[in-house]
Amino acid sequence: MPNMSLKKNPMPAQDPNVRNKNFEEVTLGYTKEMALDEAQRCLHCKNHPCIQGCPVMIHIPEFIAEVAKGDFEAAYQIISQTSSLPAVCGRVCPQESQCEKYCVRGVKGEPVGIGRLERFVADWHNANVTAAPEKPKANGHKVAVIGSGPSGLTCAGDLAKKGYDVTVFEALHLAGGVLVYGIPEFRLPKAIVQKEVDGLKALGVTIATDTVVGRTISIDELMEEEGFEAVFIGSGAGLPMFMHIPGENYKGVYSANEFLTRINLMKAYKPESDTPIQHPKRVAVVGGGNVAMDAARCSKRLGAEVYVVYRRGMEELPARHEEVEHAEEEGVIFKTLHNPVEILADENDDVRAIRCIKMELGEPDASGRRRPVEIPGSEFEIEVDCVIMSLGTSPNPLIKSTTEGLEINKKGGIVVNEDGLTSRKSVYAGGDAVTGAATVILAMGAGKTAAKAIDEEISKR
Amino acid sequence: MFRIVRKEALKPTVVLFEIEAPMIAKKAQPGQFIILRVDENGERIPLTIHDYDREKGTVSIIVQIVGATTEKLNHLNEGDCLQDFVGPLGKATETEGKKKVAVVGGGVGCAIAYPVLKKFHDDGAEVHAVVGFKSKDVVILEDKFKAVSSVLKVCTDDGTYGQKGLVTDALKELIEAGNQYDEIFAIGPMIMMKFVCKTTEPYGIPTTVSMSPIMIDGTGMCGGCRLSVGGEMKFACVDGPDFDGFKVDWDLAVKRNQMYKDFEKHKHEETCNLLKKEAN
C-alpha cells in the first residue's frame, strides 16, 4: 500500500541562526526510515513522466522501488547506469523544474522527493560500499576532455565505462569546475565532489590538473601529437561580467567568481589557508541568480550584514525558490527593484557605499519579463564596504582564440550540432561553453550526448 | 607534483628555483608567467618565468622572499616538490621588428626583464639596459645582462654600487644623450614602472610595462587582476601582463595591490614563527 501523504518527508536541516555562522552543509539528508517512507509515495505509474524531466533520464521509478525494498545498493546501480554524479545532482539540481515537476503526485500535493532519494542513495553508497568499481575492458582508443566540470566529468565517465582511455585536462589545481570553486561547501560538501571524482579515477579516467588547454597545450597538439582521436570541450562559462559603472575597480569590489573561488576553492575562511579574503561588515551582492544567493550566504557566514540588490522584483529573482528562502531565513536582506549606478570609495579607494536607483516594472519585454524602469530622482546610497558583482558569466575566450576553425556564436558560445559536434572534425563541446551559464544537470546531459556521439564516431572507423 | 631540480640563492633574499615542468618549458615565451602553490593550504601566486630549458624540460623562476608564501617556498630544497605549477600564462612580450630598445628593470624585476631583453637582442635589436637595486648586496644577474646588451647601467639607491640614484635618472641621461629608442620596456615595482612612464612620456617614446596585480586563477575567470587601461577594464592575466604604460591607471593599480596588506603581514609573521619552530 503506497504512502498517500500529500507532503514530502521534510529534510532535516541546520537551524538558520546556527548555520549562518558555519560552512557546514545546511540540509542533513534523509535517514534510512525517512527514505523508506518517502519511497513508498511513488505510485510507479505506467508512463513515468518523471524520467522525461530528467536530462540524463535516470530510471527513477526503478531505483525508487529498490529503495522501498531497502536494497540501497541496487538502487545506486540503477542510478549509475545513466548518472555519473548522483550525490551532486541530488543536491544541486533544480528538481522542481525537472523530474519532480512531472511527478503525478505533484498534481494534488507535493511530488515525490526524487532528488532527496537520489542523494540518500548516493550518500549511502559512498558511506557503505568501499569496493572499487570493476574497470571496463580497454578498447584502445584515446579521448581528451577539456575541463573537469559537470559536463566533462560526465562525458569522461560515460566513455570510460565503454573502455576508452580518457584524460581530463583541468586548468585549476582541483577537479570539479563550478562544483569546487563556485557552489559553496554548505550546499555541496567538497568531500562529496572528491568522492565522485575518485570514482571516475577508479574507472580508469586520468585527471591532469594544472593544465590550461590553449596555453599549456593546444587542441591541435592534443590531436596531432598526443594521439587523442576525439576531444570534448567542457570548459564552461567562467568569464565574469561587470556592469561598467563608475567605481567598479575600487578595493572591496569582487566578481562573484573571485569571491567564491577564494572561499570555496582556496578555503580563505579557514585560518590555516594562506589565501586572504576581506571580512566585510556590510555587503551588497548585485544580481539575483543562484550565484548571487551563494555569494550572499557566504558573506553572511563571514559575519557581514548582507543586501541582495536586484533590479526586478522578488517574483522575478532567477535563483531557485529554495535558495532564496534559505537566504532569507539566514538573514539576508533583499533590496529588489534597485539598480546600482555607482560605487563610492573613501580617500584610500576602499569601498564605502553603493549608489542605487529605485526601479518599477514596466511593460513586458521581448523575453516576456516585465522590464525594469528607473524612477527618476530616486537615487540613494547604501553604506557597504564590499560589493560582489554577480551578473552572470560568459564563455572564456581562451579556447576559441587558440583553436583554428572553431565556430563561435555572438555570445561567445561554441557552435555545435545536436550531437555536440563542433565545426571541427572530431571535436565536440557541451555545457556552459556552448550555452552560456546554465545548470549542472544540463551540462551533464550535454556531456552524455557527446560521449555517445564520440563512441559512435570512433566505432565506425 | 613539480620537482625542484636546482635552488640557488643569488642573494640572501633572492632565490632562483629551477622546476621540472616539461610541458611548460616546451611552450614558454619571454614575458609569460606561471602560477604556483607550495602546499595543500597554499595560496596561488603568479611569478614571471625567468628562463626555460626546452631540452631539459625545466622552467626557472627568481623569487624575492617577501611574505608567507615565498618564505615557505624558500624552505624547500632541491629534490622537494611544489604542489602546483601551471602555465605558461599571459601573452608573450612582442619583441619583433624593433631596431633599438631600452629595457628597465627594478630589483627582482630584473629577473623578468632578462628574458625579454635577451629576446629583443636575439631578434636583432640594439639593446640598452638600465637596472636598479636598493644597494650593492642585492645586485643580481649583472653578467647575464652584460652579455646581451650594448649599454648597461647599474644603479643603486644608496650609491654602494654603480651609479647612485634611480633608474629613471639613468634612463633620462640615455635619452638626453640622443639615443633614439623605438620602445622602452619596464618591469619592476609598480611605482618604478609608473615613474619610468612619467619619464618617457614627454619624449613620446612608446613604453610597455609588465603589470603585476594580485591574481588567483590566472586564466581569466575571476577578474581579481583587473586594471583600468585607457579607461577600459582589462584582466592582466589574459589581456596582459604587458600594457601600454601611458594608458595604465597607476594610482588605482598601486592601491589595489595593497588590498590584503594587513593579512599578508600577519600571515608572514605567523609563517616565520612556524618555520622557526620547525627548525628548532
Side-chain angles (χ1 to χ4, degrees), chain A residues 202-430:
Chain A
L203 280 177
V205 174
T206 305
I207 310 247
T209 52
D210 292 334
T211 311
V212 186
V213 173
R215 294 270 193 234
T216 315
I217 194 160
S218 68
I219 287 182
D220 293 295
E221 287 165 332
L222 286 173
M223 300 183 83
E224 285 157 23
E225 295 169 25
E226 304 295 325
F228 289 100
E229 296 161 69
V231 174
F232 174 75
I233 305 170
S235 51
L239 185 71
M241 295 191 218
F242 286 88
M243 289 186 85
H244 303 291
I245 55 172
E248 255 177 328
N249 289 337
Y250 286 134
K251 287 187 281 173
V253 184
Y254 293 88
S255 73
N257 263 11
E258 177 182 358
F259 191 77
L260 291 171
T261 298
R262 285 179 182 273
I263 289 182
N264 301 323
L265 180 70
M266 307 310 297
K267 301 275 176 273
Y269 62 92
K270 290 188 175 175
E272 64 268 28
S273 170
D274 291 340
T275 302
I277 189 145
Q278 187 188 358
H279 284 258
K281 291 191 182 66
R282 290 157 67 95
V283 176
V285 176
V286 181
N290 287 320
V291 176
M293 298 307 122
D294 286 343
R297 295 171 72 196
C298 282
S299 309
K300 193 76 202 171
R301 283 158 171 77
L302 294 176
E305 180 165 307
V306 185
Y307 301 92
V308 167
V309 178
Y310 179 59
R311 63 198 182 120
R312 290 186 164 96
M314 282 307 279
E315 284 71 46
E316 285 81 17
L317 281 168
R320 285 183 72 188
H321 181 67
E322 189 190 350
E323 301 304 319
V324 175
E325 208 169 82
H326 278 157
E328 280 186 307
E329 285 169 8
E330 289 166 12
V332 170
I333 301 157
F334 284 81
K335 292 270 183 194
T336 49
L337 292 168
H338 282 69
N339 205 28
V341 289
E342 184 178 2
I343 297 162
L344 307 156
D346 62 16
E347 66 286 352
N348 228 346
D349 283 3
D350 284 307
V351 171
R352 67 163 183 82
I354 184 166
R355 183 191 289 278
C356 299
I357 188 162
K358 291 185 183 167
M359 313 290 280
E360 56 191 359
L361 291 180
E363 293 300 306
D365 61 14
S367 73
R369 292 195 299 178
R370 292 180 66 192
R371 202 166 57 88
V373 186
E374 291 182 355
I375 303 175
S378 66
E379 287 103 332
F380 74 107
E381 290 174 14
I382 307 175
E383 267 181 55
V384 290
D385 55 350
C386 177
V387 174
I388 302 171
M389 289 294 178
S390 180
L391 309 153
T393 54
S394 57
N396 191 312
L398 190 57
I399 299 259
K400 81 169 175 210
S401 66
T402 56
T403 312
E404 264 182 55
L406 195 65
E407 199 186 324
I408 304 291
N409 66 26
K410 269 190 296 195
K411 289 185 169 172
I414 300 170
V415 177
V416 296
N417 72 5
E418 66 278 10
D419 289 334
L421 181 66
T422 68
S423 54
R424 282 273 312 259
K425 189 176 174 294
S426 305
V427 177
Y428 295 75

Side-chain angles (χ1 to χ4, degrees), chain A residues 5-10 38 41 100 103-113 116:
Chain A
S5 160
L6 291 182
K7 293 223 167 222
K8 275 190 227 186
N9 264 294
E38 183 65 25
R41 294 186 63 230
E100 293 180 19
C103 175
V104 169
R105 295 296 308 265
V107 176
K108 196 180 150 196
E110 290 183 350
V112 174
R116 293 171 184 185

Side-chain angles (χ1 to χ4, degrees), chain A residues 72-73 76 80 84-88 91 118-131 191-199:
Chain A
F72 306 133
E73 181 57 16
Y76 180 82
S80 287
S84 298
L85 310 165
V88 171
R91 285 173 166 82
E118 180 188 21
R119 167 184 166 161
F120 169 80
V121 167
D123 286 356
W124 185 92
H125 171 87
N126 286 341
N128 294 290
V129 180
T130 47
I192 285 169
V193 181
Q194 192 54 51
K195 197 109 194 188
E196 307 261 33
V197 171
D198 289 344

